[in-house]
Amino acid sequence: MMIDPTVTASFDVDPQRGFSPLCPRELPVPEGEQIVSELNAQAAFGAVRLVSKDCHPAEAPWVAATPEETLQPVSGNFPGLDVKWPPHCVVGTEGNRLLPGLPAETDYDLVIEKGVDPLKHPYGACYHDLQETESTGAIEWLQEHNITTLIVGGLATDYCVKTSVLQLLRAGFTVIVNLAACRGISPDTTREAIAAMRQQGAVLIDSSRELSRTK
Ligand code: VGL
């Protein structure tokens, strides 16, 4: 696939230690730490590089008290929350840090922090809320930079990558999902996520080797 780097951004979605076996007590996505070389490779095809991060508080109504509570619905009147998850990517902890081998955060062109509010647990990187009314600024920033095409990788394929990709497609971007730069939490939901992204118009590639630059 031909890429014009002047209108392309690469987007690293939640490539954090808390979603990898480096932090086994958080939300370890199998092989999550193995996406780094492909994220770095895809970045060569973009003029700018973005990263999103889950920046969670230690305590929130969505935090599962036991592993068995994971994926149980949050009880009570919390429109910003859906299901429970183990604590992960807590600000100031190892799990919040980017995977080893990625650039320093200061070397990205944009860092998007989400999930800060204990009453909100968004998945997509483009909105702070599940209802998608509160922009994180990612879409507007990309538009200001005249970006038309995104190359996306990150964690996890079946949650934050999927939701971010669907948001970017709805905003009108061409979205390339680099599967070698993604890993999912479970095989079934990952298969469904890939099908949904393709159905909504994403271009799925197996690795950055399928890309070449127009200039
Ligand atoms: C994610 C589940 C819960 C993700 C975040 O980054 O994909 N998944 N929180």
Side-chain angles (χ1 to χ4, degrees), residues 5-199:
T6 63
V7 294
T8 301
S10 70
F11 199 160
D12 300 358
V13 175
D14 300 11
Q16 289 165 276
R17 298 180 192 208
F19 294 123
S20 82
L22 298 171
C23 294
R25 290 189 303 197
E26 298 193 18
L27 200 36
V29 178
E31 301 183 352
E33 80 292 1
Q34 295 181 26
I35 65 172
V36 168
S37 59
E38 272 294 320
L39 288 176
N40 289 337
Q42 75 182 31
F45 296 90
V48 289
R49 184 172 184 179
L50 295 70
V51 65
S52 62
K53 292 181 67 189
D54 258 2
C55 288
H56 290 317
E59 290 182 44
W62 59 261
V63 172
T66 61
E68 294 69 41
E69 278 184 24
T70 297
L71 290 171
Q72 300 278 321
V74 177
S75 54
N77 183 23
F78 295 112
L81 305 176
D82 55 3
V83 296
K84 295 190 181 186
W85 295 100
H88 58 275
C89 303
V90 173
V91 174
T93 69
E94 175 79 3
N96 186 264
R97 298 177 63 195
L98 298 184
L99 292 167
L102 289 173
E105 282 182 39
T106 46
D107 289 334
Y108 280 88
D109 297 293
L110 183 67
V111 180
I112 298 151
E113 298 185 338
K114 66 192 178 74
V116 180
D117 184 334
L119 299 185
K120 292 177 186 156
H121 188 280
Y123 299 95
C126 300
Y127 297 94
H128 286 298
D129 56 334
L130 294 174
Q131 292 74 20
E132 304 191 350
T133 63
E134 251 183 82
S135 175
T136 60
I139 289 169
E140 294 79 2
W141 188 93
L142 291 163
Q143 290 167 340
E144 279 166 14
H145 285 74
N146 297 317
I147 297 298
T148 62
T149 303
L150 279 301
I151 309 170
V152 179
L155 302 172
T157 318
D158 31 0
Y159 292 92
C160 290
V161 172
K162 173 186 136 186
T163 307
S164 301
V165 165
L166 297 181
Q167 291 172 345
L168 291 164
L169 288 167
R170 282 197 293 274
F173 296 101
T174 298
V175 184
I176 300 165
V177 180
N178 178 8
L179 293 174
C182 299
R183 292 292 187 280
I185 292 178
S186 92
D188 285 349
T189 47
T190 298
R191 247 189 315 275
E192 286 164 20
I194 290 170
M197 292 188 284
R198 181 179 284 128
Q199 206 259 331

